[in-house]
């Protein structure tokens, strides 16, 4: 795109109610896979004031102590005291898990996809992670909030937080950060005399301690900072907002830069192509960009329930491709397995690795669990193209 324009992406911290639910659902998936790598999991979580409900369909040969796991996840996040509006030690937990439908199971057992749907993958060369800059910075901001809170650098911060970053682009390249939004849960100790807003001292502390280490190199005199813009954020977490698994799908992926198929990831085993095919699509696009075959690349995969091969493969390089999209499709079909079975084996998805994905995005990560972030196909693709 030519000229100047602005793009905004948001992220939420691991204490956000929706992300709490994602982490519980993926924690249960990991617990199943620890002893039963072929278990079938479709786990949903709902959280509200003082209550966690875990439901869905799980078929497994192992046993998961759901109540214990839920409390462990909540404690790890930081909901350990009533001052944060939720206490892992005293909350109520309802287990409403059932088995997978045999009608679905018979198609999956034969190697077919666990559902129909469309999945997107994307990569671009504007960051070292080959991710869009706005979502990359938004994730790093909420990660920094957690670090500052857990290390007690700013001891008044609570588990719930959100971030948003607006980047100004010029002719397709990021040039500067125009706005940074931070909403950080906190205790009452940093309120001013009115009790309605945080002190200016606390606001500056949050900007200097949380924001500047992340965005400092790309700001200028015109950059705007919005910190707890309503005034205060004492009541947070499940006390102020209900949470559900799968409600932050744009945060999980590319920050709204490209389309999203609509399917959520967390709580689903990899026979569900909502998850596994989205991971494969990211793996494909990252290797194409790493190979220098495009500056930007979008791949769409579509599936039919019970059928193994994708119904369609679509590639778009937004005019930045060094070879045609038709040639890239040929290379994709040749070098990347696209059936659920092939994807699971190639990306080693039958292992307890998923809770880490449930906060701070599923893409652009360099931890060993994120096998879809490898660029091991780039040399081959470049050679053959």
């Amino acid at each position: 795109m030519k000229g100047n324009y602005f793009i905004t992406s948001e992220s939420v911290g691991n204490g956000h109610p929706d992300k709490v639910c994602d982490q519980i659902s993926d924690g249960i998936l990991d617990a199943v896979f620890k002893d039963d790598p072929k278990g079938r999991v479709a786990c949903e979580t709902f959280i509200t004031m003082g209550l966690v409900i875990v439901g869905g369909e799980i078929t497994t040969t192992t046993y998961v102590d759901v109540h214990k796991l839920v409390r462990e996840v909540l404690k790890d996040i930081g909901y350990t005291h009533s001052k944060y509006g939720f206490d892992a030690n005293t909350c109520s937990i309802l287990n409403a898990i059932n088995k997978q439908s045999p009608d679905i199971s018979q198609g999956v057992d034969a190697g077919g996809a666990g559902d129909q749907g469309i999945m997107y993958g994307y990569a671009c060369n504007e960051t070292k992670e080959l991710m869009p800059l706005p979502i990359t910075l938004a994730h790093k901001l909420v990660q920094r909030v957690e670090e500052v809170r857990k290390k007690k650098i700013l001891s008044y911060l609570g588990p719930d937080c959100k971030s948003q970053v607006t980047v100004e682009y010029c002719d397709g390249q990021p040039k500067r950060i125009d706005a940074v939004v931070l909403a950080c849960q906190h205790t009452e100790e940093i309120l001013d005399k009115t009790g309605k807003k945080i002190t200016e001292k606390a606001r500056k502390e949050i900007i200097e301690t949380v924001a500047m280490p992340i965005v400092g190199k790309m700001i200028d005199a015109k950059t705007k900072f919005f910190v707890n813009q309503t005034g205060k954020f004492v009541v947070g977490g499940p006390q102020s907002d209900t949470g559900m698994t799968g409600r932050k799908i744009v945060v999980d992926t590319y920050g709204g830069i490209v389309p999203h198929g609509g399917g959520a990831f967390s709580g689903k085993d990899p026979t569900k192509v909502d998850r596994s095919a989205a991971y494969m699509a990211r793996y494909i696009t990252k290797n194409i960009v790493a190979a220098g075959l495009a500056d930007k690349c979008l791949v769409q995969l579509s599936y039919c329930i019970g059928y193994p091969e994708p119904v369609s493969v679509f590639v778009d390089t937004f005019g930045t491709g060094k070879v045609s999209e038709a040639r890239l499709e040929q290379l994709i079909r040749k070098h990347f397995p696209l059936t659920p079975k092939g994807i699971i084996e190639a990306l080693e998805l039958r292992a307890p690795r998923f809770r880490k994905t449930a906060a701070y995005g599923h893409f652009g990560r360099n931890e060993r669990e994120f096998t879809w972030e490898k660029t091991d196909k780039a040399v081959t693709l470049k050679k053959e193209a």
Side-chain angles (χ1 to χ4, degrees):
M1 185 182 297
K2 295 294 183 181
N4 286 55
Y5 54 93
F6 298 85
I7 296 180
T8 301
S9 293
E10 70 157 345
S11 184
V12 298
N14 69 344
H16 185 282
D18 292 332
K19 281 288 139 200
V20 172
C21 293
D22 285 347
Q23 290 170 88
I24 291 171
S25 294
D26 272 340
I28 289 171
L29 172 59
D30 282 352
V32 169
F33 271 8
K34 182 180 178 181
D35 297 316
D36 181 14
K38 293 188 177 181
R40 300 275 172 78
V41 180
C43 180
E44 310 287 343
T45 305
F46 170 87
I47 194 168
T48 188
M49 185 184 297
L51 174 65
V52 178
I53 302 174
V54 182
E57 299 79 46
I58 297 179
T59 303
T60 180
T61 58
T62 191
Y63 169 74
V64 177
D65 188 336
V66 172
H67 285 67
K68 181 181 178 182
L69 187 146
V70 169
R71 296 192 196 280
E72 287 175 350
V73 171
L74 290 167
K75 288 176 183 177
D76 187 51
I77 292 169
Y79 285 113
T80 56
H81 196 282
S82 58
K83 68 181 178 180
Y84 299 127
F86 203 88
D87 190 340
N89 299 299
T90 60
C91 68
S92 298
I93 300 169
L94 175 61
N95 183 350
I97 292 173
N98 203 345
K99 289 186 177 182
Q100 185 182 61
S101 163
D103 295 346
I104 296 174
S105 183
Q106 67 180 5
V108 176
D109 290 342
D115 202 353
Q116 69 176 49
I118 54 175
M119 297 83 207
Y120 288 93
Y122 180 70
C124 61
N125 62 9
E126 62 189 58
T127 65
K128 63 182 177 62
E129 297 88 355
L130 302 186
M131 286 284 288
L133 182 63
I135 188 65
T136 300
L137 293 176
H139 285 323
K140 288 182 177 181
L141 283 170
V142 290
Q143 285 178 297
R144 177 62 180 166
V145 173
E146 183 189 10
E147 179 185 17
V148 166
R149 175 175 63 87
K150 289 193 170 181
K151 289 183 177 179
K152 300 190 182 303
I153 298 171
L154 297 179
S155 59
Y156 49 75
L157 293 179
D160 197 358
C161 68
K162 299 179 77 172
S163 69
Q164 188 169 282
V165 179
T166 300
V167 175
E168 182 177 4
Y169 286 74
C170 180
D171 296 335
Q173 296 300 315
K175 293 299 181 183
R176 57 179 289 274
I177 294 173
D178 187 66
V180 176
V181 178
L182 280 169
C184 302
Q185 186 186 14
H186 58 85
T187 56
E188 294 184 348
E189 65 188 85
I190 60 168
L191 296 177
D192 66 8
K193 292 180 180 180
T194 69
K196 294 182 178 180
K197 63 179 182 178
I198 62 173
T199 63
E200 184 61 21
K201 176 178 178 293
R203 179 182 177 276
K204 289 180 178 178
E205 278 183 343
I206 292 171
I207 292 173
E208 290 297 323
T209 309
V210 174
M212 292 305 290
I214 305 301
V215 303
K217 293 182 180 180
M218 292 194 68
I219 66 168
D220 57 25
K222 295 182 179 179
T223 301
K224 301 175 284 292
F225 288 89
F226 301 94
V227 178
N228 288 17
Q229 197 64 22
T230 65
K232 65 178 183 178
F233 188 5
V234 174
V235 180
Q239 183 181 16
S240 66
D241 189 13
T242 58
M244 294 183 70
T245 300
R247 287 207 299 194
K248 288 292 177 283
I249 56 177
V250 174
V251 169
D252 285 342
T253 53
Y254 307 102
I257 304 297
V258 294
H260 192 294
F265 302 156
S266 290
K268 296 178 181 178
D269 75 77
T271 64
K272 283 77 173 173
V273 284
D274 279 340
R275 181 168 219 157
S276 55
Y279 290 173
M280 178 52 72
R282 164 63 178 171
Y283 181 47
I284 292 167
T285 57
K286 188 173 184 181
N287 276 273
I288 287 172
V289 173
L293 301 182
D295 296 333
K296 302 177 181 180
C297 185
L298 174 76
V299 165
Q300 182 204 70
L301 304 175
S302 69
Y303 290 84
C304 169
I305 188 168
Y307 186 73
E309 296 290 341
V311 176
S312 66
V313 178
F314 169 77
V315 186
D316 187 359
T317 60
F318 307 93
T320 70
K322 308 304 187 289
V323 297
S324 70
E325 277 91 354
R327 178 59 178 147
L328 288 175
E329 183 186 340
Q330 291 174 346
L331 291 170
I332 290 167
R333 290 184 180 274
K334 179 178 179 180
H335 292 288
F336 296 91
L338 301 179
T339 65
K341 182 177 184 292
I343 293 170
I344 289 168
E345 291 176 354
L347 300 182
E348 303 172 16
L349 297 182
R350 289 200 183 278
R353 64 180 62 226
F354 296 103
R355 190 187 152 194
K356 274 193 176 182
T357 69
Y360 313 125
H362 292 244
F363 308 123
R365 309 277 291 274
N366 60 12
E367 294 99 318
R368 63 179 178 82
E369 291 89 351
F370 292 71
T371 52
W372 47 93
E373 291 296 314
K374 297 182 296 183
T375 54
D376 54 331
K377 300 279 191 180
V379 172
T380 299
L381 292 175
K382 184 174 183 179
K383 182 179 179 181
E384 290 205 19

